[in-house]
């Protein structure tokens, strides 16, 4: 069974180090050592900084890969147009069990990240800098780094800077979740998609990017675009940080130039000579099969071209002795548990997808496979954040990559191989901490029921409570009963009261607990007209 990765695993480098410079000298580069290794850094104007990022083709290293120069210009234009000062946010949340690259950077080279963030803050005229983290070790390291620079959260400071720590959850790392938490809310997506560049922290234009992205910007600003381009590929210059785990003898974070063959990186970590498959990009990434591994090189474009993903920089090979679909099912269950409980595609769809894959493995045949494909397709592009999309992509790629194994389960008695648990998960399969928010997050003890003898397919329930209800092709709800997310209790009550046919009712599980106060408690068969008043 694969153990959970430590916060700071072994660090290796291929070629000359850039982000990991000085790691061979000390465990953590404090400010004096950071300046000895990297030297001083001169400020740059906003347009200079944007042109630098454009020339080195710097893209976000957190998974989405959005061009940094476009984000920088968008924030600057929005701030000028509105006449407000922007905010800079470093996203150091790394909440996947298989990702450690940003955690390593924050723990060992925090000042390199701050260099890039402070360059942006000065160029934009920002007066607020926030670093989002989810681990105790990263909080300690970054708070120490801010103190070493004399930065703090005093109202009298020219630049207010502080660390915001959130729970270790997959959804905590989403940009919208981090912004919401900085504003004092829970670290879960707000349910509406608004560009942070236009309206982020406190409603101000916000430059939010991944920790490695700011560190790469600091490297480029120091050595210049020409020297930066000497490393790596012409169209994707520089290095990338990868977390390599799974079926390896030496889990590690490794800095490599773009263009290095993926098989070479796997060999350094002690992966099987011919892996059964490799998960690229992490648990919101994509599987590639053994034949494809030999074609892939470490670059965003190359991995995309062969059906993989650079994503969050996690690379996880598995050997031939384990069932790849069984390994994927473990991750699918964990992804379902990581739901914020806010929307139907996530709260209902991801558990259904995990159950669908389980049905396939349990001999459900072609019908189970088709049902799984339909569920995965249905959850995409409909969630409050990208968690359902990434989870569906992971499942769909598993079906595509392991066709022989899939055929053995769908058409035969299974592949006959055990599940070794080589893909790292948190202890017990769950994250160390939960989503905050008290009574506003998670599932309540309330369930909402449809009385089919009364339902006339008006569809109002799906408009009011899309977290629970969606309409089928016939215009009727696709579920007869469902648990209500706690944050949506008031919406559930409104759906009940506004149903034209009085076909909805709410029931509560009162076993061992005091009744909730904000929803009516109805036993089976009580008068529905009382709900309609």
């Amino acid at each position: 069974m694969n153990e959970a990765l430590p916060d700071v695993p072994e660090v290796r480098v291929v070629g000359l180090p850039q982000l990991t410079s000085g790691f061979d000298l000390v465990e953590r580069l404090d400010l004096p050592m950071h300046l000895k290794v990297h030297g001083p850094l001169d400020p740059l104007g906003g347009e200079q900084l944007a042109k630098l990022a454009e020339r080195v083709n710097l893209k976000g290293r957190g998974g989405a890969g959005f061009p940094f120069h476009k984000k920088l210009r968008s924030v600057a234009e929005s701030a000028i147009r509105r006449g407000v000062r922007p905010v800079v946010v470093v996203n150091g949340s790394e909440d996947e069990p298989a990702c450690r690259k940003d955690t390593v950077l924050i723990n060992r080279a925090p000042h390199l990240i701050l260099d890039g963030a402070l360059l942006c803050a000065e160029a934009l005229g920002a007066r607020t800098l926030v670093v989002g983290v989810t681990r105790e070790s990263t909080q300690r390291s970054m708070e120490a780094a801010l103190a070493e620079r004399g930065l703090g959260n005093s109202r009298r400071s020219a630049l207010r800077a502080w660390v915001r720590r959130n729970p270790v959850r997959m959804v905590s790392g989403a940009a919208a979740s981090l912004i919401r938490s900085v504003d004092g809310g829970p670290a879960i997506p707000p349910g509406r998609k608004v560009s942070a560049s236009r309206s982020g922290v406190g409603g101000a234009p916000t430059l939010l990017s991944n920790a490695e992205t700011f560190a790469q910007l600091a490297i480029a600003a120091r050595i210049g675009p020409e020297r930066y381009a000497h490393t790596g590929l012409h169209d994707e210059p520089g290095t990338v940080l990868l977390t390599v785990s799974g079926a390896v003898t030496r889990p590690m974070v490794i800095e490599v130039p773009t263009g290095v063959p993926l098989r070479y990186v796997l060999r350094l970590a002690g992966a099987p000579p011919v892996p059964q498959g490799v998960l690229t990009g992490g648990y919101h990434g994509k599987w590639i099969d053994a034949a494809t591994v030999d074609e892939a090189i470490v670059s965003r474009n190359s991995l995309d071209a062969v059906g993989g993903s650079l994503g969050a920089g996690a690379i996880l090979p598995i050997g031939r002795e384990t069932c790849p679909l069984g390994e994927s099912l473990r991750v699918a269950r964990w992804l379902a548990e990581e739901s914020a409980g806010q929307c139907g595609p996530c709260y209902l769809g991801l558990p259904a997808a995990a159950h669908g894959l389980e049905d396939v493995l349990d001999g459900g045949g072609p019908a189970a496979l088709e049902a799984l494909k339909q569920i995965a397709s249905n959850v995409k592009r409909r969630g409050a954040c990208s968690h359902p999309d990434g989870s569906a992509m992971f499942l769909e790629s598993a079906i595509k990559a392991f066709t022989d194994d899939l055929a053995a389960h769908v058409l035969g008695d299974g592949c006959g191989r055990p599940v070794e648990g080589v893909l790292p998960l948190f202890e017990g399969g769950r994250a160390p901490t939960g989503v905050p928010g008290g009574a506003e997050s998670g599932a309540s003890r309330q369930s909402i029921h449809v009385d089919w003898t009364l339902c006339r397919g008006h569809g109002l329930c799906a408009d009011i409570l899309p977290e629970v209800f969606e309409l089928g092709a016939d215009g009727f709800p696709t579920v007869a009963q469902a648990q209500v997310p706690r944050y949506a209790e008031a919406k559930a009550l409104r759906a009940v009261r506004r149903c034209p046919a009085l076909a909805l009712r709410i029931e509560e599980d009162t076993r061992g607990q005091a009744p909730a106060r904000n929803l009516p408690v109805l036993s089976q068969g009580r008068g529905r007209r009382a709900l309609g008043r």
Side-chain angles (χ1 to χ4, degrees), residues 125-212:
R127 293 293 180 263
T128 303
L129 168 64
V130 185
V131 182
V133 300
T134 52
R135 301 175 185 274
E136 183 180 355
S137 64
T138 49
Q139 180 182 8
R140 287 199 308 266
S141 180
M142 189 54 74
E143 286 180 343
L146 291 175
E148 288 165 6
R149 290 178 180 251
L151 295 173
N153 195 20
S154 170
R155 292 182 179 275
R156 293 175 293 180
S157 300
L159 175 70
R160 298 180 63 183
W162 74 92
V163 176
R164 171 66 179 177
R165 183 180 173 191
N166 291 316
V168 180
R169 288 294 302 273
M170 191 76 164
V171 295
S172 298
S177 299
L178 179 52
I179 289 172
R180 189 177 184 185
S181 73
V182 173
D183 282 338
I188 54 179
R192 60 187 183 279
K193 297 180 180 179
V194 179
S195 170
S197 300
R198 295 196 299 270
S199 179
V201 174
T206 299
L207 178 69
L208 186 149
S209 201
N210 165 264
E212 184 192 342

Side-chain angles (χ1 to χ4, degrees), residues 21 154 231 272 276 401 439:
S21 293
S154 170
T231 301
Q276 184 174 190

Side-chain angles (χ1 to χ4, degrees), residues 7-296:
D7 277 10
V8 183
E10 176 186 358
V11 178
R12 296 283 301 275
V13 62
V14 174
L16 295 176
Q18 291 186 357
L19 299 172
T20 60
S21 293
F23 282 21
D24 57 332
L25 303 175
V26 292
E27 284 299 309
R28 178 183 180 276
L29 279 73
D30 59 13
L31 185 56
M33 180 58 73
H34 168 75
L35 293 174
K36 287 180 181 179
V37 170
H38 292 284
L41 182 60
D42 295 327
L44 295 173
E47 186 55 29
Q48 284 181 292
L49 204 58
K51 287 181 177 178
L52 171 66
E54 187 173 10
R55 288 187 64 183
V56 302
N57 196 20
L58 180 60
K59 295 182 178 180
R61 302 300 176 92
F66 191 79
F68 188 80
H69 70 93
K70 292 184 178 179
K71 187 180 294 187
L72 188 63
R73 288 190 171 108
S74 177
V75 171
E77 291 167 2
S78 182
I80 293 170
R81 184 172 60 252
R82 294 175 52 191
V84 297
R85 289 192 180 275
V87 176
V88 175
V89 177
V90 178
N91 193 349
S93 311
E94 199 165 38
D95 308 313
E96 283 193 48
C99 295
R100 290 296 184 275
K101 67 180 184 69
D102 293 318
T103 302
V104 164
L105 269 182
I106 296 174
N107 273 285
R108 301 198 61 181
H111 289 284
L112 197 60
I113 300 166
L114 287 179
D115 279 347
L118 292 171
L119 271 178
C120 294
E122 185 165 355
L124 292 170
R127 293 293 180 263
T128 303
L129 168 64
V130 185
V131 182
V133 300
T134 52
R135 301 175 185 274
E136 183 180 355
S137 64
T138 49
Q139 180 182 8
R140 287 199 308 266
S141 180
M142 189 54 74
E143 286 180 343
L146 291 175
E148 288 165 6
R149 290 178 180 251
L151 295 173
N153 195 20
S154 170
R155 292 182 179 275
R156 293 175 293 180
S157 300
L159 175 70
R160 298 180 63 183
W162 74 92
V163 176
R164 171 66 179 177
R165 183 180 173 191
N166 291 316
V168 180
R169 288 294 302 273
M170 191 76 164
V171 295
S172 298
S177 299
L178 179 52
I179 289 172
R180 189 177 184 185
S181 73
V182 173
D183 282 338
I188 54 179
R192 60 187 183 279
K193 297 180 180 179
V194 179
S195 170
S197 300
R198 295 196 299 270
S199 179
V201 174
T206 299
L207 178 69
L208 186 149
S209 201
N210 165 264
E212 184 192 342
T213 312
F214 284 107
Q216 291 282 4
L217 183 67
I219 293 292
R222 274 192 170 87
I223 66 178
E226 291 81 9
R227 185 177 163 193
Y228 189 93
H230 288 167
T231 301
L233 298 170
H234 172 72
D235 58 340
E236 293 182 54
T239 64
V240 296
L241 283 180
L242 303 173
T243 311
V244 188
S245 63
V248 298
T249 58
R250 301 174 64 184
M252 63 177 60
V253 168
I254 181 168
E255 182 181 13
V256 299
T258 55
V260 169
L262 181 60
R263 62 179 180 274
Y264 180 71
V265 173
L266 296 173
R267 191 181 309 133
L268 285 177
V274 184
Q276 184 174 190
V278 177
L279 179 58
T280 59
Y283 294 159
H284 276 178
K286 297 180 181 179
W287 286 102
I288 56 176
D289 59 26
T292 305
V293 171
D294 287 337
E295 305 173 28

